[in-house]
Amino acid sequence: FKSVTFEDSLFKNCVFEDITSLNSYFRNCTFVNTTFYNTDLEQYKFVDSKLINCTFFHIRTGCQISFSDDYSAYWIYFVNFLGTLAVLPGNIVSALLMDRIGRLTMLG
């Protein structure tokens, strides 16, 4: 789950396995006979929720990566485009000089 909020839901006889969530919360939910295995769902994500006969196995703890900026891929491509654009004048000048001076002189 990236960012999901469950409200007033009933989870009965469910198994949550290998789940990583960033901003997911359960508000006013009821969990009955539910198993949580290898998840990072901690107590603060269950806001005003009831946990009845639930078991937690292998809870993940530690630093979780947060991708709160949805435009991160856009900025990576934009910065690469600007870097390529900055090299363009040098490539044009090199091509013109190579025609005038010659390849061996340019290498020297």
Side-chain angles (χ1 to χ4, degrees):
F1 304 131
K2 183 176 180 183
S3 180
V4 179
T5 302
F6 295 96
E7 292 184 4
D8 301 321
S9 301
L10 171 65
F11 298 93
K12 188 174 183 181
N13 298 324
C14 295
V15 176
F16 290 89
E17 185 174 352
D18 296 326
I19 293 177
T20 302
S21 64
L22 295 175
N23 293 321
S24 296
Y25 294 97
F26 299 91
R27 299 184 199 282
N28 298 324
C29 294
T30 305
F31 296 88
V32 180
N33 297 327
T34 303
T35 303
F36 298 91
Y37 179 77
N38 198 23
T39 65
D40 68 345
L41 299 175
E42 296 183 22
Q43 190 64 36
Y44 71 93
K45 294 188 178 187
F46 300 102
V47 180
D48 297 329
S49 295
K50 297 178 185 177
L51 299 169
I52 302 169
N53 198 18
C54 296
T55 54
F56 291 84
F57 296 109
H58 304 288
I59 302 300
R60 294 181 190 172
T61 57
C63 180
Q64 299 293 326
I65 297 173
S66 177
F67 296 104
S68 60
D69 188 11
D70 289 336
Y71 301 105
S72 61
Y74 167 78
W75 285 111
I76 290 170
Y77 288 114
F78 184 70
V79 168
N80 284 330
F81 174 72
L82 288 179
T84 305
L85 205 59
V87 176
L88 188 63
N91 288 342
I92 292 172
V93 170
S94 295
L96 292 175
L97 281 176
M98 195 177 298
D99 285 341
R100 292 261 182 193
I101 299 174
R103 291 182 183 215
L104 293 177
T105 309
M106 284 289 289
L107 286 174

